[in-house]
Amino acid sequence: MSDSEKEPLIQSPPRRERLASERSTHSELSVHSIISSPDSTGCKICPTFLTELGYKEKLTVLFMCLITFVQCLCFSVLAPFFPKEAELKGLNSSETGMIFGVFELMIFLTAPIFGTYLTKFGILFTYISGCFVAGSCAIIFGVLKWCPAGNVFLAMCFLTRGVEALAVSAHLTASMAVIGYIFKERASLAIGFIEIFSGLGMMAGPPIGGVLYELGGFGLPFWTLGGITVTLAFISCLLMPSITDDSKQSNQSKLAMLRSPYILCVCLVIVCAAYGITFLDPTLSLHLENKFHVSTLYVGLIFLAAPGTYTFSAPLIGWINDTCKQTNIIIVLGTFLLAICNLFIGPAPFLNIP
């Protein structure tokens, strides 16, 4: 038998595997292919997402989810009642809005710094200390009720929320490193899993804040959530696995990605989507209470609508995007719907809605 006649037999198994792989790719939904694709060990990601972890690692993931949930509660719990309390302290809507905004501003400014120097600070130290400081600041914010009105109250709110945001920024940055260490090549799936608790915290914060405010006044929401955060941080300190970082710092500029117009456009869309959820925090509660006489409890339930819809629709939109592969159309459609909704929230004068 000649060499030319032997060659097809030698090449046929790889061809069969390649054809089978192509048929499988075209016959299954892309989202299913991503979730059930084998990893480097030949196992599927979904069944081994948590089963391959040890008992201590599983508890670590559980408490990471709980801390993320509680910290998002601390961020969003102010919406139903704080504008009214701030008005009693002599603050206007602009100053109240700045108190809300300083939290995200501090995270925006400090997250790149913690990301650059995380290994120098220590991953576990940054993670645990961030939890402790964030919980302590939440407790301190609850005692500002007895702070003198006016500029003193404004300055103390800025200081407390700013330090709390600094601690949350440190914790969030270290959390990504911890997730990468525990899950390694499955870090993206783990981050998505923990982000569910972030959305749930943003969703549940306003109604929980309204209930706690009705039960115990201004301080109870912050003392409760701050105490839970400190407790979870202490338990996490006992559970966290030993982490050694041997990664090398990249010399590439952190601003290199901003040279891409597409990246800038996506960043702008993310900013618009974020303000679409949070820009009503300083003003809507006063509007509902003064004009429609809505109680604090129901104001909190109204604030549930936007983050609740976000939490439950995000997986659906992700599935649609993975199936249809029309990312640009989805971005444009979502931005257009956001603009239409904002016109009706006002409402815009040209709509002639009373």
Side-chain angles (χ1 to χ4, degrees):
M1 185 179 293
S2 64
D3 294 339
S4 60
E5 293 175 343
K6 292 180 181 180
E7 187 175 357
L9 295 177
I10 296 174
Q11 298 296 329
S12 57
R15 287 178 182 174
R16 285 198 300 267
E17 293 176 2
R18 184 168 62 253
L19 291 174
S21 176
E22 291 174 355
R23 286 195 298 267
S24 175
T25 301
H26 290 292
S27 61
E28 296 179 350
L29 294 176
S30 60
V31 65
H32 175 73
S33 302
I34 292 172
I35 294 176
S36 61
S37 60
D39 59 8
S40 58
T41 61
C43 300
K44 291 183 177 181
I45 290 179
C46 269
T48 60
F49 174 58
L50 292 175
T51 55
E52 289 184 350
L53 298 179
Y55 179 72
K56 193 172 185 179
E57 285 77 11
K58 290 180 181 178
L59 287 178
T60 299
V61 174
L62 173 62
F63 278 90
M64 289 180 68
C65 294
L66 292 177
I67 291 174
T68 300
F69 175 73
V70 176
Q71 284 185 343
C72 289
L73 287 179
C74 292
F75 170 75
S76 60
V77 76
L78 285 75
F81 61 87
F82 183 76
K84 179 176 64 177
E85 293 287 342
E87 188 178 46
L88 295 176
K89 290 290 187 178
L91 304 185
N92 55 40
S93 297
S94 298
E95 294 169 333
T96 304
M98 288 188 290
I99 294 174
F100 277 94
V102 70
F103 196 95
E104 294 292 349
L105 177 62
M106 286 297 297
I107 294 178
F108 173 78
L109 294 176
T110 59
I113 299 176
F114 284 114
T116 302
Y117 299 101
L118 182 61
T119 56
K120 294 183 179 180
F121 297 151
I123 296 175
L124 294 183
F125 173 79
T126 305
Y127 180 90
I128 299 299
S129 60
C131 293
F132 273 115
V133 174
S136 301
C137 288
I139 295 174
I140 294 173
F141 198 88
V143 305
L144 295 185
K145 176 181 179 180
W146 295 284
C147 187
N151 292 331
V152 176
F153 179 77
L154 177 63
M156 292 303 298
C157 287
F158 273 129
L159 179 62
T160 307
R161 291 281 285 181
V163 175
E164 182 180 358
L166 182 69
V168 171
S169 176
H171 169 258
L172 290 177
T173 306
S175 296
M176 299 300 104
V178 174
I179 291 172
Y181 178 82
I182 294 176
F183 292 97
K184 297 180 173 63
E185 70 274 4
R186 284 166 269 187
S188 297
L189 187 60
I191 291 173
F193 181 74
I194 293 177
E195 278 299 309
I196 295 175
F197 288 84
S198 176
L200 291 175
M202 295 294 294
M203 177 180 66
I208 290 178
V211 171
L212 294 177
Y213 180 80
E214 293 284 348
L215 292 176
F218 179 84
L220 185 60
F222 304 104
W223 300 333
T224 302
L225 298 177
I228 293 175
T229 302
V230 172
T231 303
L232 291 176
F234 178 76
I235 298 175
S236 297
C237 185
L238 303 176
L239 295 176
M240 293 294 293
S242 178
I243 297 178
T244 56
D245 183 76
D246 55 359
S247 61
K248 297 181 179 180
Q249 294 289 338
S250 173
N251 294 325
Q252 186 177 4
S253 173
K254 301 296 187 301
L255 300 178
M257 66 179 68
L258 296 181
R259 297 173 184 173
S260 170
Y262 185 79
I263 295 296
L264 291 175
C265 182
V266 171
C267 291
L268 180 61
V269 170
I270 292 174
V271 171
C272 292
Y275 90 71
I277 296 178
T278 59
F279 83 106
L280 290 174
D281 288 352
T283 57
L284 181 60
S285 61
L286 293 176
H287 178 70
L288 293 173
E289 291 176 0
N290 296 335
K291 188 172 182 178
F292 300 101
H293 307 290
V294 180
S295 67
T296 305
L297 175 60
Y298 287 103
V299 170
L301 294 176
I302 292 173
F303 274 101
L304 180 67
T309 304
Y310 168 81
T311 301
F312 291 106
S313 64
L316 176 62
I317 299 300
W319 177 81
I320 294 174
N321 184 55
D322 286 337
T323 304
C324 302
K325 303 296 183 183
Q326 297 293 335
T327 304
N328 292 336
I329 295 178
I330 293 176
I331 290 177
V332 172
L333 180 61
T335 308
F336 178 76
L337 291 176
L338 178 64
I340 295 298
C341 292
N342 285 329
L343 290 177
F344 280 95
I345 288 176
F350 58 82
L351 295 178
N352 295 323
I353 298 176

